[in-house]
Amino acid sequence: MKIACRILKLIDNSIGTTISLIVISFLFCLPGNVFSKIKGNNISSSLIQSAFNPKTASWNIDWPGRISQYDLVYKSPPIDPMQGIALGNGDVAALVWCEDTKIVIVLNKCDLWDDSQTGKPETWDEKYDFYTTQRHACRIEIDFKFPVFNTLYLTDFKARLSLADASLSLRGSSPFGDLNLKAFIDHQSGILFCELGNSFKEEVPLKISMEHFGSRTFSMWYTRMRRDATIGLPGTEALADGNSIFITQKLSGGKFAVGGTVLQSNGLKVNCSREHSRCTSIQVTGNREKKIQLAFSVTSPINGDPVAEVKSKLSGANRKGLEPFKQEHAAYWKAIWNRSFMDYGDDYLNNLWYLTMYYANASQGGKYPGRFNNGLWSWNHDVQQWNFYFHWNQQQIYWPLNAAGFHDLVAPYLDFRFNSLRFAKKDAKELYNAKGAFISDVTNRNGYNRMDSNVKDNHTPVAEIALDFWRQYQFTSDKKFLKEKALPFILEAARFFESLFVKEGDGLYHAKEGNGYEGSVVLHDGLTELVYARTLFTNALEALKVAGADIPEAQRWKELLDHLAPLPVVKASNGLIIKGDSGYKINQGIYSGTSVQGDKIIGAGWGIKENKMLTTWYKTDDPEYAFLVSGDTSRNNKCEFRVYDGIFPAVPRSPVYPSGLVGLSQKGDPLFDVMTATTLLYGSEGMGWDPAPIVMARLGLARELALNLDQFPVRWQFFLNGWGHISSEVKEDGDGTSYFKTNLVNVVGSPTGEKVPFPAWPFRHMSMEAMSVLATAMNEALLQSYDGTISVFPAFKGSKTARFTLHAQGGFVISSEIKAGKVQWIAIKSLYGNPCKLELPWNIALRYSNLNRKSQKLSGETVVFKTKTEESFLLIPEGQNLQSWSVVAEKPSANEKVKYHPSGKTQLGIPRMF
């Protein structure tokens, strides 16, 4: 058989094609008699042609083109931080942009926290600008002295964010000469390496300055400000020593240092000097042509001497040399990208998916997770919009990561939550007289809850976080993690949730009172509490079973589950869903005319003050709420729903996502029909953090999801580097029309209640939620496993072509491909030897294993089969020709252009504008 394969390859090479014909039995190391058996099975003569190589269980797509086709390309300088090029290793991050004569780099680190001195839960007003906050590390300026980035003088420019190796390259030309920069943050050490050069017509000093000017945080910049401009300034010192420069900054938990050094000067003269207490610089002279290597490093806050620590790190880098770092860094990122593969059949959506995965890897790998606002790329001194970890927003960063194989990025977030348990248990006891743990929607980095009337009745965060722990275990099968972290957290969440329910006269357990997510309306039998009680107690009992543990509360939780009040279901208001000769149809919104199974929708709960059943949205003609966008532009200004004031807009999504209570596995159940009608009636998301497209995927609404994703970048990708935001009002920040915008804000501490106009432009930020929602929806359209059943292409529009490698719960790596609506094949790799439960996309399939001599015929809607650790399977439909598998090699090129969304309303990169 090996000889036959070599002959086929030789024949193929002789005609100059890129196709290799590989016999399937050879690919799976099967003996010849199996192949003979297959030949006699009335198989059709069609060939399987794919870039997937089943022998290696990998895609035969050239590296680095597979990833570099999604690089960001700038043909004009990014002249604003919100256009900036972002680097990072998960712990240390840098944002790079250009200003006239300079390249600006803002350096940050995830653990540079300055804690409030009181150690108490924090409120909005009493300590404004004195909260626990994150401080920036430093600002680096590379000054060429000529206006080399000014449009008036540019003759050529190109910059690239290279995703394959997480690096930046930049070059520019002007009448003054040429310049170039290459930079990356090493994955292991966190050192920022820069290769810098210029060739000018006259010799001028090249100045690299490093500065730190602390500031107020302005966490609620749009409503208030404190006039004390000294806040954040104390504790800074600048130093210079030989070929190196340093800045130190005192924080509540110690002192950190940033250091910069010249690794290689190529005979140029290097002079380091302290400019003042907040700035130090390197000046390079000696030739009009300059080429140097630089390294910058930042320490964590310590009680000792951080300068000695950063000196040691930089000295080690100098001894090792730049090239080994570059090679190791590139190999690391190649391994990162090999964990998964996404081809949604839409280049623009693919690009956003890969950028979202890149930004997660660059900002979520340190001791403290990068926050949903700006990640680790805050750029304006110590300004930290919102400043806290807001649960609803923060969790969304991690929604797409398990399926992409980035469990290691979820771990720091879960560690952060696990470490807050001691405070959460204390708050549950003191505030609710309850067992277990309460986590507010708003916490600081220590885990202190913000406690006031706005958040105290939102009980769901701890349950959703518990489900995050459980999901991490389901993907990793890590028993140690389950027993030491996941199970303890889940049990404390369940104990607290038990306290929220009371058995009433009907013999059922009812939710006493609470808010729906971040809402303010107090509800009895609130939807979110009923939903998460079902999922939390179910998963708690399952976690106990898997861990081989038992606790006294388990029986009570079983009793509660068996007698839990039903979810609130109501008849849609008159005219919203109508019944005709052919059945029920949606009669409002962007999916008007779509058939549904009935006129029932999900309610939000019983409004205690309102004394009636409430829904999240209601019909209105108010044009202020005209946010629904469809492919039919004539409908874009037509408003049909308004959110009920005080009920969070994502409440009606909760039974589907992120709870996982309802999905395609429940198709045919009344609740599935209710959630389908609710989702179609309410339509697209009204905010970037709304999981509407994920819900559509979980319900198998392929057509509606396709329409949603076609428009999603227009609504939420506001920045040309692929960053998004949660509010459509921020669109003007992306296009610059808000430059002169002001907000009327309160002056904190003013005895007269003074208000002043305050500029909005310096406080712009991105938000990571929307692009994470997009990536999750794409994952869920191609692969679902939320209930333990693997389903490929469950919500993908039939006429399109797509392919993927993603991870499934149970520890499986799944690859598959669909063409013209037909699933071609499924490859499965079992990482931990768990049983595999798979929904078959064909009536009959043939399954091949790399560990088994015989193929097996599978039939039925769902099949279950045993696996062994590292065992690989290939499944194809019966009737498919298995005599040969044509591996079609692909050689994509690195992206060289600015990409525009088909609508023309958003873009990736900057075109030439000179």
Side-chain angles (χ1 to χ4, degrees):
M1 187 56 64
K2 291 182 180 180
I3 294 173
C5 288
R6 292 194 186 104
I7 292 172
L8 284 170
K9 190 170 183 180
L10 288 170
I11 293 172
D12 209 28
N13 290 339
S14 70
I15 58 176
T17 69
T18 61
I19 297 176
S20 299
L21 298 179
I22 306 175
V23 178
I24 197 75
S25 61
F26 169 60
L27 294 180
F28 279 84
C29 307
L30 298 175
N33 64 327
V34 174
F35 180 72
S36 300
K37 181 178 179 181
I38 293 171
K39 284 183 68 176
N41 271 351
N42 296 320
I43 304 298
S44 67
S45 59
S46 62
L47 302 178
I48 300 174
Q49 294 189 347
S50 175
F52 186 82
N53 185 340
K55 180 180 180 181
T56 60
S58 62
W59 296 91
N60 193 357
I61 303 175
D62 271 10
W63 184 266
R66 170 182 160 184
I67 303 300
S68 62
Q69 62 182 309
Y70 303 118
D71 287 354
L72 276 178
V73 172
Y74 295 71
K75 296 186 177 181
S76 293
I79 59 173
D80 183 86
M82 300 312 296
Q83 301 175 337
I85 300 175
L87 300 174
N89 75 334
D91 176 45
V92 178
L95 186 62
V96 184
W97 71 93
C98 306
E99 293 181 355
D100 203 45
T101 68
K102 304 172 183 177
I103 294 174
V104 179
I105 307 173
V106 171
L107 198 63
N108 292 308
K109 193 172 187 298
C110 77
D111 60 354
L112 303 185
W113 289 91
D114 205 10
D115 288 332
S116 165
Q117 298 303 303
T118 64
K120 297 179 181 178
E122 299 167 329
T123 63
W124 291 118
D125 296 313
E126 66 183 59
K127 293 190 294 182
Y128 187 70
D129 276 326
F130 295 102
Y131 305 136
T132 292
T133 191
Q134 205 168 28
R135 302 291 181 186
H136 78 292
C138 72
R139 175 181 168 115
I140 301 164
E141 293 186 353
I142 302 171
D143 194 347
F144 297 96
K145 303 301 182 181
F146 293 112
V148 289
F149 301 113
N150 191 308
T151 303
L152 297 177
Y153 303 108
L154 279 171
T155 58
D156 191 23
F157 182 87
K158 186 175 183 180
R160 174 185 297 274
L161 171 61
S162 172
L163 295 183
D165 60 357
S167 69
L168 171 156
S169 61
L170 180 155
R171 59 177 172 79
S173 298
S174 69
F176 312 107
D178 304 323
L179 62 93
N180 61 81
L181 169 69
K182 294 181 179 179
F184 67 96
I185 294 179
D186 177 56
H187 78 282
Q188 184 66 41
S189 65
I191 296 174
L192 169 64
F193 290 101
C194 299
E195 297 177 89
L196 183 64
N198 69 259
S199 177
F200 290 158
K201 293 181 178 179
E202 56 184 289
E203 207 276 322
V204 293
L206 174 63
K207 185 176 182 181
I208 301 101
S209 61
M210 193 166 69
E211 64 181 34
H212 180 99
F213 288 87
S215 73
R216 292 162 282 178
T217 60
F218 294 101
S219 62
M220 296 186 72
W221 72 101
Y222 58 95
T223 64
R224 66 198 68 182
M225 57 92 72
R226 191 187 291 272
R227 281 196 167 134
D228 184 357
T230 66
I231 296 172
L233 279 174
T236 310
E237 184 54 63
L239 308 165
D241 179 11
N243 278 2
S244 302
I245 54 177
F246 308 94
I247 285 178
T248 64
Q249 177 64 46
K250 291 181 180 179
L251 302 179
S252 59
K255 183 187 292 186
F256 74 84
V258 188
T261 192
V262 177
L263 296 178
Q264 191 177 93
S265 63
N266 293 302
L268 297 168
K269 183 178 180 182
V270 177
N271 180 54
C272 297
S273 62
R274 177 186 184 273
E275 307 228 343
H276 51 73
S277 63
R278 304 177 189 281
C279 182
T280 182
S281 65
I282 300 170
Q283 186 163 274
V284 181
T285 57
N287 198 317
R288 65 181 184 85
E289 294 187 1
K290 298 179 177 65
K291 185 177 181 180
I292 60 173
Q293 293 178 356
L294 302 167
F296 299 90
S297 181
V298 54
T299 73
S300 298
I302 62 174
N303 292 322
D305 180 10
V307 173
E309 181 179 319
V310 78
K311 279 185 177 181
S312 176
K313 202 167 191 178
L314 292 174
S315 295
N318 203 3
R319 289 191 298 271
K320 184 174 180 178
L322 179 58
E323 283 306 312
F325 281 104
K326 289 172 67 174
Q327 293 171 12
E328 293 166 7
H329 179 76
Y332 172 83
W333 275 90
K334 183 176 182 179
I336 285 289
W337 292 122
N338 280 335
R339 294 187 193 180
S340 50
F341 171 68
M342 170 62 70
D343 183 356
Y344 201 76
D346 183 310
D347 182 71
Y348 200 91
L349 292 180
N350 289 347
N351 219 132
L352 289 177
W353 189 91
Y354 278 101
L355 284 169
T356 301
M357 296 304 107
Y358 168 77
Y359 290 133
N361 274 277
S363 67
Q364 300 300 318
K367 182 178 180 180
Y368 293 96
R371 290 188 310 109
F372 62 97
N373 271 352
N374 282 337
L376 293 179
W377 297 290
S378 294
W379 54 273
N380 191 4
H381 301 278
D382 289 335
V383 170
Q384 297 287 340
Q385 296 88 349
W386 298 103
N387 199 43
F388 296 93
Y389 289 102
F390 284 70
H391 161 69
W392 177 255
N393 309 75
Q394 189 70 28
Q395 66 175 334
Q396 299 189 10
I397 298 173
Y398 311 101
W399 284 352
L401 299 185
N402 286 120
F406 301 130
H407 319 305
D408 51 327
L409 300 183
V410 182
Y413 171 68
L414 296 180
D415 285 344
F416 159 68
R417 291 302 191 184
F418 184 80
N419 293 334
S420 73
L421 261 184
R422 56 186 175 129
F423 303 118
K425 292 170 69 175
K426 182 179 179 182
D427 283 346
K429 180 64 176 176
E430 293 182 355
L431 300 171
Y432 299 93
N433 193 29
K435 295 179 180 180
F438 168 80
I439 291 182
S440 167
D441 188 67
V442 185
T443 58
N444 72 8
R445 70 102 174 193
N446 294 305
Y448 287 132
N449 288 318
R450 171 192 166 201
M451 290 304 304
D452 56 37
S453 59
N454 292 317
V455 296
K456 69 180 181 63
D457 291 325
N458 178 6
H459 305 131
T460 53
V462 72
E464 289 184 309
I465 297 167
L467 298 185
D468 292 336
F469 275 91
W470 180 238
R471 182 170 59 245
Q472 180 82 340
Y473 168 72
Q474 288 178 301
F475 274 94
T476 63
S477 295
D478 186 341
K479 288 287 183 67
K480 185 173 186 289
F481 166 78
L482 174 66
K483 293 179 179 180
E484 295 182 359
K485 293 184 178 179
L487 182 59
F489 193 100
I490 291 168
L491 295 182
E492 296 300 343
R495 290 183 179 113
F496 176 72
F497 245 64
E498 182 185 350
S499 73
L500 304 178
F501 289 82
V502 62
K503 196 171 188 178
E504 296 184 359
D506 58 1
L508 300 179
Y509 288 90
H510 294 263
K512 290 183 281 190
E513 60 180 47
N515 302 144
Y517 291 149
E518 294 182 9
S520 58
V521 172
V522 181
L523 303 166
H524 176 261
D525 274 344
L527 175 65
T528 54
E529 292 180 346
L530 290 170
V531 163
Y532 287 104
R534 283 170 166 80
T535 54
L536 177 57
F537 292 130
T538 298
N539 291 332
L541 293 172
E542 180 64 19
L544 284 168
K545 179 180 177 181
V546 173
D550 193 17
I551 59 173
E553 297 99 322
Q555 195 58 43
R556 295 202 301 272
W557 296 345
K558 292 176 184 176
E559 157 77 8
L560 200 152
L561 274 173
D562 290 340
H563 299 86
L564 198 58
L567 302 189
V569 175
V570 299
K571 183 178 179 181
S573 300
N574 289 338
L576 295 182
I577 299 177
I578 59 174
K579 186 176 183 181
D581 294 338
S582 58
Y584 292 95
K585 289 186 177 181
I586 302 293
N587 194 43
Q588 297 285 145
I590 62 173
Y591 300 125
S592 180
T594 304
S595 296
V596 291
Q597 294 299 312
D599 60 356
K600 300 293 194 302
I601 62 172
I602 204 74
W606 184 268
I608 294 176
K609 180 180 178 181
E610 296 79 4
N611 195 31
K612 64 178 180 179
M613 181 63 71
L614 301 176
T615 58
T616 305
W617 299 91
Y618 63 92
K619 188 177 179 180
T620 180
D621 294 324
D622 187 344
E624 181 182 347
Y625 288 84
F627 67 86
L628 298 177
V629 181
S630 74
D632 180 2
T633 56
S634 66
R635 302 173 65 88
N636 286 353
N637 295 320
K638 183 178 181 182
C639 178
E640 291 157 327
F641 292 103
R642 174 174 179 169
V643 68
Y644 192 98
D645 190 23
I647 298 181
F648 198 63
V651 164
R653 320 291 189 193
S654 62
V656 178
Y657 199 88
S659 74
L661 181 65
V662 180
L664 279 169
S665 293
Q666 288 72 43
K667 191 171 185 178
D669 293 348
L671 189 55
F672 180 91
D673 295 336
V674 167
M675 289 311 305
T676 300
T678 305
T679 302
L680 291 171
L681 179 63
Y682 290 162
S684 299
E685 68 287 339
M687 297 287 285
W689 42 244
D690 189 335
I694 309 173
V695 172
M696 293 175 189
R698 283 285 177 93
L699 295 175
L701 300 174
R703 183 183 69 87
E704 291 78 11
L705 177 61
L707 173 62
N708 184 289
L709 296 190
D710 282 346
Q711 296 292 315
F712 197 94
V714 177
R715 293 199 295 275
W716 309 116
Q717 186 235 315
F718 297 155
F719 303 105
L720 50 79
N721 52 13
W723 284 347
H725 206 284
I726 62 171
S727 173
S728 58
E729 295 178 357
V730 181
K731 180 68 174 175
E732 58 192 11
D733 289 349
D735 59 27
T737 56
S738 67
Y739 188 81
F740 297 105
K741 179 182 176 181
T742 60
N743 296 306
L744 192 64
V745 305
N746 296 304
V747 177
V748 176
S750 168
T752 61
E754 181 183 5
K755 293 186 177 184
V756 297
F758 198 58
W761 190 253
F763 304 100
R764 292 164 298 134
H765 65 91
M766 63 84 154
S767 294
M768 300 182 75
E769 305 98 299
M771 294 302 108
S772 294
V773 168
L774 171 65
T776 307
M778 293 170 67
N779 292 345
E780 295 286 332
L782 303 186
L783 177 70
Q784 292 182 23
S785 63
Y786 71 95
D787 64 345
T789 301
I790 296 168
S791 178
V792 299
F793 304 104
F796 191 75
K797 193 173 180 180
S799 60
K800 295 178 68 175
T801 295
R803 52 193 179 163
F804 69 86
T805 294
L806 294 169
H807 293 239
Q809 292 187 11
F812 300 99
V813 181
I814 312 297
S815 302
S816 191
E817 188 167 10
I818 190 170
K819 295 181 179 180
K822 295 182 179 180
V823 178
Q824 303 293 294
W825 51 267
I826 303 172
I828 302 172
K829 183 176 183 179
S830 175
L831 299 179
Y832 311 116
N834 292 322
C836 180
K837 185 178 181 181
L838 174 70
E839 181 181 327
L840 282 183
W842 318 289
N843 293 328
I844 301 175
L846 295 177
R847 188 197 71 183
Y848 299 89
S849 166
N850 66 332
L851 302 180
N852 199 321
R853 289 178 173 270
K854 296 181 179 180
S855 64
Q856 182 179 359
K857 185 178 291 188
L858 304 176
S859 62
E861 292 185 1
T862 303
V863 296
V864 180
F865 52 90
K866 295 180 180 180
T867 74
K868 296 180 180 180
T869 301
E870 295 298 312
E871 186 173 10
S872 295
F873 300 90
L874 180 70
L875 286 81
I876 51 179
E878 185 185 46
Q880 181 66 59
N881 187 349
L882 298 181
Q883 295 186 36
S884 60
W885 182 294
S886 176
V887 179
V888 184
E890 296 180 12
K891 298 183 178 182
S893 301
N895 180 40
E896 297 293 345
K897 64 183 181 181
V898 177
K899 294 186 180 181
Y900 294 91
H901 187 263
S903 68
K905 296 179 180 179
T906 191
Q907 68 191 61
L908 292 168
I910 307 178
R912 179 165 179 155
M913 299 190 294
F914 54 89

